[in-house]
Amino acid sequence: MRRSPWRSAVSAGCRAAVALLLCVGPAGAGPLAQVRIRSLQAVYADAATLAAAAGRPERGEDLLGALLGPFGLRDLSVLDGTRPLAAVLPLEGMLLQQRGVVVALPVAAAGPLLDALGGNFPSRGRDGGLEVFSDAGGPVLYAQERDGYVVAGQTRQFVAAFDLAALRAPLDGPPGSVVAELDLEPLAPLLLAGLVGAREQLRQQVLLSLSQPRQGPPGDPPVDPEALAGMLDLYLDAAQSVLMDLGRVQLGVEIRGEHLFWHNRVVVRPNTATAEFVAHQGGGLPPLSRVVPPGSISMAGQVKMTPRAEAALAGLLDRYFALAGALLAGLEQGAEPAVAAQGGGASAPPLAELGDLVTQGLGCFTGEAAASLGFSALEGISVAEAVGTVDTPRCRDLSRRSLALLRRFSPAPGGAAPVIAGGQETIHGIAAERFAVDLGAAGAELPAEEQRLLRLLYGGPTLTSYVAATGPVTYYALGGTARGRLQAMLDAAGDPGRTGIDAGTFAPLLPGPGFFVGADVPKLLAAGLDLLPEDDPGRARWEHVAQVFAGAGAAGRAAAGLRFDPLGATLQIAVPLRALEASRPAQPLPAREAAPKQ
């Protein structure tokens, strides 16, 4: 079987990195990977909750099958269900995979567990204080009782060297009944070699494939191979710059109340650009969030740039726009005769000018933002947003240039009037830019059903948006009620007593330093029903899910957030358990009592 270019490149890089690791030895103390379980009782409780929500017969023991099965342990009643247990892969066992894993199992008495293990092997003996379980091929499992635990594994030296003190020490990681950690720092040479090998192999494949005779239609525009290969380099450079700054990856899973929580944390390596960026974050919801009304989906937070991070991002954006411009120029050159025959011209704004505005504008934002999105059958989509901006002459000029560029965007087919028309209005004494998109012209070539959905989504034949700036805040509004939403945000800005997006909007998560998103699932489901025709085959399923979430209150909310701490950042996701209930086959549901409002 022929190996893929990606696999070949990564394999070559991995071999070089493994050789390097074997030469230099372990990069630091501690395991390469570990999984901690708070207790069997905690896992059983979470598993029972998930099984009840999903209506399936899985038992809590099934969650441990993959972990303990290789050791021949079938009867979990011999374990102490109140204390933590763990599985650890030492750095030295990396190449042994499963055979390098060691587990520490809490027991009230070691004898029953050792006897249970012995019943799975034809031979049992001792070797230097270790129990040895063997089959016809030799030793298969080593085990030792220490301080209320049985330590077991398939490699003798790892079992003998296992440190129980590390298990008793609290894990510097996210909460959860199950917590896992992978130490990336010792793997840095391996990861870097894999990226380098993959980059070169994929680049050669791109150049080779584009040098072959073209297989597309005669009018298919050409692609600049160097620009496409450069775009690949750009993505890999961005991935490498972040990946090499990461120290550990941690994962925690827990059930709390009516939600399943997923915590994915990265700990950054000290004295790196990413560590500097993480340490620069702080604060909770920005003050401007109170002027934005909450919607079916709401988001708010702040992410602040450091000078080094801003310079790195500006460099990546410069490269991106230059490469995208080269690709677009080739495509437009090849497609120009067909476009000219239709009486049209280039439809995209000049990428060089757009890129200049984006990179120069990085320093014009404070990193604070709040936004909401809603939908109704009468008004269509509605968006409200407030963004913290720097009020300087340079930033005001960039804003004017951006609006001027937007006004030139996208002429209608056939060279008619612009799809985007604009003008200025005054709202509460503040100049606001108005833009109106003719959906009929923009979607003239779409099928009739898609045109109907387009008008339904945006509340009519025209999509209207407004932009207004008042010193340190720029306001955006979009939809059929855009003018009213902009006016409401300007009113709220002048009234300290007004409240909009607040901490409760992101329940069950508690917002802090970072950026957070909250979703009112029942409202989103209702919006989906408004969009679906009565005869749509998927409508019955959608109605079933909406019925499950009806009256859910706080239990029907979903949330996600990127939370910063002094050493790293955590991606948090909270999923309603009713989502599992909704996955069951549709059936009549018992009446629910409405949950109290939060």
Side-chain angles (χ1 to χ4, degrees):
M1 180 181 295
R2 185 176 181 271
R3 306 182 72 188
S4 70
W6 174 272
R7 178 173 295 182
S8 299
V10 172
S11 177
C14 288
R15 288 195 298 271
V18 168
L20 177 60
L21 284 170
L22 294 176
C23 291
V24 302
L32 175 66
Q34 59 180 313
V35 176
R36 298 268 196 104
I37 295 175
R38 190 167 71 226
S39 71
L40 290 179
Q41 289 182 354
V43 171
Y44 292 164
D46 284 355
T49 301
L50 290 174
R56 293 171 182 170
E58 283 85 355
R59 299 178 303 163
E61 292 91 333
D62 294 337
L63 296 180
L64 299 178
L67 178 66
L68 302 179
F71 301 98
L73 184 59
R74 300 291 181 265
D75 182 10
L76 301 184
S77 66
V78 298
L79 302 180
D80 181 349
T82 64
R83 289 188 289 142
L85 57 157
V88 172
L89 176 64
L91 176 62
E92 301 91 326
M94 176 176 61
L95 299 183
L96 298 177
Q97 300 181 14
Q98 180 179 294
R99 294 189 66 249
V101 175
V102 179
V103 296
L105 308 173
V107 292
L113 174 56
L114 294 174
D115 290 342
L117 290 174
N120 295 297
F121 299 95
S123 175
R124 175 180 175 181
R126 293 186 63 82
D127 177 11
L130 300 180
E131 297 280 339
V132 183
F133 303 93
S134 306
D135 59 16
V140 175
L141 183 70
Y142 298 88
Q144 184 180 47
E145 188 277 329
R146 271 185 271 157
D147 299 329
Y149 278 83
V150 169
V151 180
Q154 294 177 273
T155 302
R156 185 186 189 285
Q157 70 185 78
F158 297 158
V159 174
F162 185 83
D163 184 8
L164 278 176
L167 175 60
R168 297 191 181 99
L171 183 64
D172 175 27
S177 56
V178 178
V179 179
E181 178 179 276
L182 174 65
D183 191 352
L184 294 177
E185 194 163 350
L187 298 177
L190 183 70
L191 297 172
L192 181 59
L195 282 172
V196 170
R199 176 197 303 270
E200 185 58 28
Q201 187 75 22
L202 289 175
R203 182 182 178 87
Q204 293 301 320
Q205 286 295 318
V206 167
L207 296 177
L208 178 63
S209 63
L210 292 177
S211 67
Q212 302 298 320
R214 296 174 57 198
Q215 303 296 322
D220 197 18
V223 176
D224 182 341
E226 284 296 335
L228 190 58
M231 193 68 80
L232 175 65
D233 283 341
L234 173 65
Y235 292 139
L236 289 174
D237 283 344
Q240 180 177 321
S241 64
V242 174
L243 190 59
M244 292 299 103
D245 284 358
L246 302 184
R248 289 176 290 155
V249 177
Q250 300 170 325
L251 171 67
V253 181
E254 63 174 334
I255 293 176
R256 202 169 355 114
E258 296 283 342
H259 288 81
L260 170 68
F261 292 83
W262 176 283
H263 310 273
N264 194 359
R265 180 174 183 247
V266 293
V267 180
V268 299
R269 299 173 67 176
N271 303 317
T272 61
T274 305
E276 180 185 273
F277 172 79
V278 165
H280 190 61
Q281 308 307 313
L285 294 181
L288 57 77
S289 62
R290 71 170 187 82
V291 308
V292 179
S296 301
I297 298 177
S298 304
M299 55 195 78
Q302 47 186 315
V303 178
K304 300 183 180 298
M305 300 293 287
T306 61
R308 187 152 52 148
E310 185 177 319
L313 181 57
L316 290 173
L317 288 171
D318 281 338
R319 288 174 60 189
Y320 171 80
F321 282 108
L323 292 166
L327 286 171
L328 187 60
L331 293 174
E332 287 187 342
Q333 182 178 4
E336 191 63 34
V339 175
Q342 298 175 8
S347 62
L351 276 178
E353 186 176 356
L354 178 61
D356 181 57
L357 289 172
V358 170
T359 53
Q360 289 189 45
L362 288 176
C364 292
F365 295 96
T366 65
E368 301 178 353
S372 65
L373 182 147
F375 177 83
S376 71
L378 293 177
E379 300 173 354
I381 287 176
S382 58
V383 176
E385 183 178 1
V387 178
T389 50
V390 179
D391 188 20
T392 64
R394 184 181 75 88
C395 291
R396 286 195 295 271
D397 178 63
L398 284 172
S399 178
R400 285 191 292 269
R401 289 169 56 193
S402 300
L403 293 173
L405 181 63
L406 188 57
R407 290 193 195 98
R408 305 202 312 267
F409 179 62
S410 189
V419 173
I420 297 181
Q424 281 196 344
E425 296 183 23
T426 301
I427 302 176
H428 291 333
I430 297 172
E433 294 280 346
R434 176 180 177 275
F435 297 90
V437 180
D438 184 347
L439 297 178
E445 298 180 1
L446 295 176
E449 175 59 20
E450 293 186 22
Q451 291 188 40
R452 183 193 72 82
L453 282 176
L454 196 65
R455 290 192 297 272
L456 183 60
L457 272 173
Y458 297 113
T462 303
L463 174 62
T464 304
S465 61
Y466 282 83
V467 182
T470 59
V473 181
T474 298
Y475 300 91
Y476 303 88
L478 178 145
T481 58
R483 193 181 194 284
R485 286 184 172 273
L486 176 61
Q487 183 171 333
M489 288 191 288
L490 294 174
D491 287 342
D495 182 359
R498 293 279 190 95
T499 59
I501 293 176
D502 58 15
T505 308
F506 305 102
L509 296 182
L510 182 64
F515 205 87
F516 295 82
V517 179
D520 189 326
V521 178
K523 284 186 178 180
L524 290 173
L525 292 170
L529 285 173
D530 285 338
L531 289 172
L532 285 176
E534 291 292 335
D535 59 350
D536 189 285
R539 187 175 179 87
R541 181 64 191 170
W542 199 278
E543 288 175 341
H544 163 68
V545 177
Q547 188 180 6
V548 171
F549 277 89
R557 298 194 64 88
L562 180 65
R563 182 187 302 274
F564 293 101
D565 63 69
L567 299 179
T570 302
L571 174 64
Q572 298 177 301
I573 301 175
V575 180
L577 291 178
R578 295 198 183 203
L580 291 176
E581 183 178 342
S583 68
R584 302 183 199 176
Q587 56 184 330
L589 296 171
R592 293 183 181 275
E593 293 184 5
K597 291 186 178 180
Q598 194 174 15

